[in-house]
Amino acid sequence: MIEIKELRKSFGEKLVLESLSTTFSSGKINLIIGRSGSGKTVAIKSMLGLHSIDSGGIYFDNRNFSVMNDKERKEIRKEIGMVFQGGALFDSMTIEENLSVPLIMFSKKNKSEILDRVNFCLDRVNLVNVNKLFPSDLSGGMQKRVAIARAIVLNPKYLFCDEPNSGLDPYTATIIDELLKEITYEYNITTVINTHDMNSVMQIGDQIIFIKEGKKMWEGHKEEIMNTNNKYLNDFIFSSEIFKRLKKSIS
Amino acid sequence: MNIFSTIGKYFIFLKKVFSRPDNKSVFYKNVILEIYNLGITSIGFVAFVSLFVGAVVTLQIAYNLENPLLPTYLIGLATRDSIILEFAPTMISLILAGKMGSNIASTIGTMRVTEQIDALEMMGINSSSYLVLPKIVALIFINPVLIIFSMFLAILGGWFFGDLSGLCSTAEFLDGVQYYFIPFNIYYAFIKTIVFAFIIATLPAFYGYFTKGGALEVGVSSTKGVVNSSILIIISNYLITQLLLN
């Protein structure tokens, strides 16, 4: 479980997150939704210490991450997997080396055990025979799957994904969403995903928070999201023609 | 950002860089990789520049020593001293600051803007130490080797082209090269080279590491890294010379 309390972050004069508080449950897919520029990525990066915060608290299973020193944070980070928006694969390394990095750095596994774990994770995301390829040899969807495989290679307790299906076609996006759902339930991970894709929300979202201009405007479940009275959330959801028609047909 | 906050940020960055590597065997492997990527790949370039600049130095000295009262072996002596004292350690370091510095700044800058550095941090890896410390160690090791190689080839180039042009015979040139040799000059050149290697490794890395934005800013960081490391090399060259040769 991850708890954030009164999280506040600004860049110079610009306030990006304002008193953001919520709880992300374990074994569930927790979504942060909002328009581009609403502060979703800043929220995730602030939770992970990639951005320093102005004030507030971030608790990973009651351990206050925001007051920890670098050494303590490093230990927590070994329990976290992160899928970045662009994949962030190391482009000078092969896929096998990309997945091996955290294992070589922090596990006591020997070479063959590392290779077994790498192959297991690649297999888990349905990738075969890609070990010796470089990230540039793969399609966007495959790169995202490698990024997910790398994120789970150390058996994380927490998984963060920053717009995992941005730039992907709807079919591949669905595959990525399903994969994240399976992994979350299978390993009982606390998964936090940033997205503005309503298909993802309806497909995999267990708990959802909607933020606008750095403020939490709504929190609930996907079953409630279609019937909310929140004007900003309605504007966000029903901006697409498909969802407008869907609402019409429901009503 | 004003100059004082940049200097402060640079030293804070260095403090992080010089923390203990997370995994020693990975660190040694990365040092070897950097020796190859930054040093070995520069050998051809250094050889080419050294040979021809050595030749030009000899020709210019010969041109300035046309007085018949001055012995011709002075051409060899002056060539040797200008190459050992200034050309090899300083000029080659400046050239390497361009080649290696742009490589370091653009590689690290690209890793920053594509979130690869964030990915390292998220794995619990000290990204600055992981990326920069092997480069520092590699350059402090390989740059003196490159400078010795440069000294040798520049003197060789001077001798060959001096003889070829008929300005200074082989015997006279070699006499001059061996005449009144001061071994301290080599130590002085090494000290300079090591300081310059540190600058070449850290300053472009600093600018690359703190790149913000996209491809355009990577280019800006690369330029800043090369220009500022060149400036610092020139200033430290003066300071070291003042300290060691006066």
Side-chain angles (χ1 to χ4, degrees), chain B:
Chain B
M1 202 188 315
N2 71 47
I3 189 162
F4 296 109
S5 72
T6 306
I7 292 169
K9 205 171 165 187
Y10 173 67
F11 282 105
I12 292 168
F13 170 72
L14 286 185
K15 192 185 163 211
K16 268 190 89 182
V17 167
F18 283 102
S19 53
R20 185 196 291 233
D22 293 306
N23 184 312
K24 278 187 182 161
S25 65
V26 173
F27 169 73
Y28 293 131
K29 196 180 144 203
N30 285 345
V31 169
I32 303 292
L33 207 68
E34 296 297 351
I35 286 175
Y36 176 78
N37 283 341
L38 296 170
I40 306 297
T41 56
S42 304
I43 286 177
F45 183 53
V46 168
F48 178 79
V49 172
S50 302
L51 262 176
F52 282 91
V53 174
V56 171
V57 168
T58 302
L59 298 179
Q60 285 179 350
I61 289 167
Y63 171 73
N64 283 293
L65 290 179
E66 274 186 343
N67 190 330
L69 294 174
L70 293 171
T72 317
Y73 72 81
L74 282 182
I75 296 172
L77 186 146
T79 301
R80 179 200 71 198
D81 280 351
S82 21
I83 283 166
I84 290 176
L85 290 171
E86 199 57 23
F87 165 70
T90 309
M91 297 311 291
I92 291 292
S93 289
L94 280 171
I95 289 167
L96 290 178
K99 184 186 176 288
M100 294 172 170
S102 60
N103 178 309
I104 292 169
S106 56
T107 306
I108 295 178
T110 304
M111 288 187 78
R112 168 60 76 193
V113 300
T114 56
E115 297 181 312
Q116 292 176 49
I117 289 179
D118 287 343
L120 284 171
E121 289 288 335
M122 282 317 303
M123 288 173 193
I125 297 169
N126 176 349
S127 60
S128 42
S129 172
Y130 178 83
L131 293 172
V132 184
L133 194 56
K135 293 185 201 303
I136 296 173
V137 175
L139 292 200
I140 283 176
F141 170 76
I142 196 70
N143 278 22
V145 176
L146 287 173
I147 296 307
I148 290 248
F149 181 64
S150 164
M151 285 173 184
F152 174 74
L153 282 182
I155 292 173
L156 196 76
W159 161 62
F160 180 75
F161 285 101
D163 191 46
L164 193 74
S165 58
L167 292 168
C168 180
S169 71
T170 297
E172 286 168 325
F173 189 87
L174 292 181
D175 261 359
V177 165
Q178 292 169 65
Y179 183 74
Y180 197 61
F181 175 68
I182 304 167
F184 179 75
N185 288 356
I186 298 282
Y187 298 130
Y188 161 77
F190 270 2
I191 291 166
K192 287 211 297 190
T193 303
I194 289 167
V195 172
F196 299 161
F198 183 81
I199 293 168
I200 294 169
T202 56
L203 214 58
F206 167 73
Y207 283 106
Y209 193 83
F210 291 103
T211 302
K212 277 180 187 163
L216 193 69
E217 284 77 11
V218 172
V220 171
S221 296
S222 184
T223 307
K224 274 186 184 171
V226 171
V227 170
N228 290 333
S229 53
S230 301
I231 291 170
L232 207 58
I233 284 172
I234 305 251
I235 294 170
S236 54
N237 183 35
Y238 163 71
L239 293 174
I240 294 167
T241 307
Q242 181 76 31
L243 278 170
L244 297 181
L245 295 191
N246 265 353

Side-chain angles (χ1 to χ4, degrees), chain A residues 187-201:
Chain A
Y187 303 114
N188 196 34
I189 300 172
T190 308
T191 300
V192 181
I193 301 175
N194 266 352
T195 187
H196 46 59
D197 181 358
M198 278 309 294
N199 291 324
S200 295
V201 174

Side-chain angles (χ1 to χ4, degrees), chain A residues 1-2 24-30 60-61 63 79-81 117 124 151-152 154-160 179-192 206-207:
Chain A
M1 184 182 74
I2 304 167
F24 300 115
S25 312
S26 53
K28 290 194 171 161
I29 295 200
N30 304 273
F60 287 86
D61 289 312
R63 294 169 292 174
E79 300 173 7
I80 300 171
R117 179 68 188 156
R124 185 65 198 79
I152 61 167
L154 283 178
N155 282 321
K157 285 169 77 175
Y158 318 99
L159 180 64
F160 287 81
L179 189 60
L180 289 168
K181 190 173 159 183
E182 284 169 23
I183 287 167
T184 301
Y185 296 154
E186 197 175 321
Y187 303 114
N188 196 34
I189 300 172
T190 308
T191 300
V192 181
D206 291 321
Q207 292 179 348

